[in-house]
Amino acid sequence: MADWIIGALCALLVSVAAYRKQSLSKSGMAAAFVMGTVYYGAGDIFWFGILLLFFVTSSLFSKLRGDRKRELEKSYAKSGRRDAVQVFANGGLGMLACIGHAIWPHEAWSYLFIGFMAGATADTWATEWGGLSKRPPRSVLTWKRLPAGTSGGVSRLGSLAGLAGAVMIGGAAWVFYLWGQGAGLNDLFEQVLGVVQFNRSNETLLFWKWIMVGGISGFAGAFIDSLLGASLQKMYRCTVCGKSVEVAVHCDQPTKPERGIRWMNNDVVNLLSLLGAGAIAWGLGVLL
Ligand SMILES: [Zn+2]
């Protein structure tokens, strides 16, 4: 019971702060509160810490050079202020894994969860940093240059950022796992030192395992997202400015369908890529 109260208090603090900083809408704030409470109440610091890390870094990066992004964001379905749907799109699968773990404890849930979160982090970091790339992105399918902000476009900066985000989640999984096992700051510091010195303790090997699980699954998830974005995702063409966009209204006018499957919107693409990342992380976790 105490865990649920601590979780609710921490979640309240974070979601209200994010609302005030304009990172969340009102519905986004409510969703983040529920999610954070469950992550700590049904889970522990491992689950809550990873969620918080994803959330804080994504919110920070979405503020990067806001003006230019705001222009780009008009062609995305997302905007800087995340609503409940977007909060659940990124953290909902992780919440299900957390609840699954509480009901039927098994390490497979943790791998699945790290895959979901590494995928969400890689995709968000890649989108935010890729939006700052000076060179236009290339289509992940045809390798042709695309206008900035197009679904399915990848840039070197965005890809590197995505990989970095995925690796960070893997490293954080290791830290929060040891922490959850009762390691104090001193122990953690010693374990990090062990990793730097390449010693062959069980903890160091575990570090590399989590790095592989998070890094590979997250990067693969972001790649699947781009691949689906370039192929099956429903896209529209703006009748005013002629841009290819994800949204039904652009330049204050309804857009025309261009390609893709009717129900394959940005949220569905997101969900499928996270499921892919989760499956890959699960497989790696069991194999390695
Ligand atoms: Zn337009």
Side-chain angles (χ1 to χ4, degrees), residues 179-216:
W179 187 350
Q181 301 288 101
L185 267 186
N186 259 338
D187 306 316
L188 283 175
F189 184 72
E190 251 170 55
Q191 299 305 344
V192 171
L193 217 60
V195 167
V196 176
Q197 291 166 343
F198 289 103
N199 74 19
R200 293 184 61 85
S201 70
N202 284 339
E203 282 80 6
T204 301
L205 294 179
L206 193 63
F207 171 81
W208 291 110
K209 176 175 175 170
W210 277 119
I211 291 290
M212 300 285 272
V213 169
I216 295 174

Side-chain angles (χ1 to χ4, degrees), residues 238 240-241 250-251:
C238 177
V240 180
C241 70
H250 199 253
C251 298

Side-chain angles (χ1 to χ4, degrees), residues 68-204:
R68 192 160 148 228
K69 283 246 185 75
R70 219 160 296 139
E71 203 44 49
L72 279 181
E73 269 170 357
K74 286 180 194 155
S75 48
Y76 292 156
K78 323 171 187 175
S79 77
R81 214 159 190 188
R82 290 175 169 86
D83 60 21
V85 173
Q86 289 160 345
V87 170
F88 279 111
N90 284 312
L93 284 173
M95 189 171 81
L96 293 181
C98 182
I99 293 168
H101 182 262
I103 295 170
W104 182 38
H106 194 281
E107 62 181 5
W109 295 111
S110 312
Y111 297 132
L112 207 54
F113 168 62
I114 291 305
F116 296 153
M117 296 315 284
T121 305
D123 186 39
T124 309
W125 284 31
T127 305
E128 302 297 357
W129 284 93
L132 301 177
S133 182
K134 295 237 164 57
R135 270 174 290 179
R138 288 179 184 275
S139 162
V140 74
L141 269 188
T142 63
W143 213 240
K144 279 188 197 133
R145 294 277 185 204
L146 293 172
T150 311
S151 283
V154 291
S155 64
R156 190 181 304 172
L157 183 63
S159 305
L160 282 175
L163 182 62
V167 166
M168 179 200 67
I169 291 295
W174 178 72
V175 170
F176 286 120
Y177 172 77
L178 293 180
W179 187 350
Q181 301 288 101
L185 267 186
N186 259 338
D187 306 316
L188 283 175
F189 184 72
E190 251 170 55
Q191 299 305 344
V192 171
L193 217 60
V195 167
V196 176
Q197 291 166 343
F198 289 103
N199 74 19
R200 293 184 61 85
S201 70
N202 284 339
E203 282 80 6
T204 301

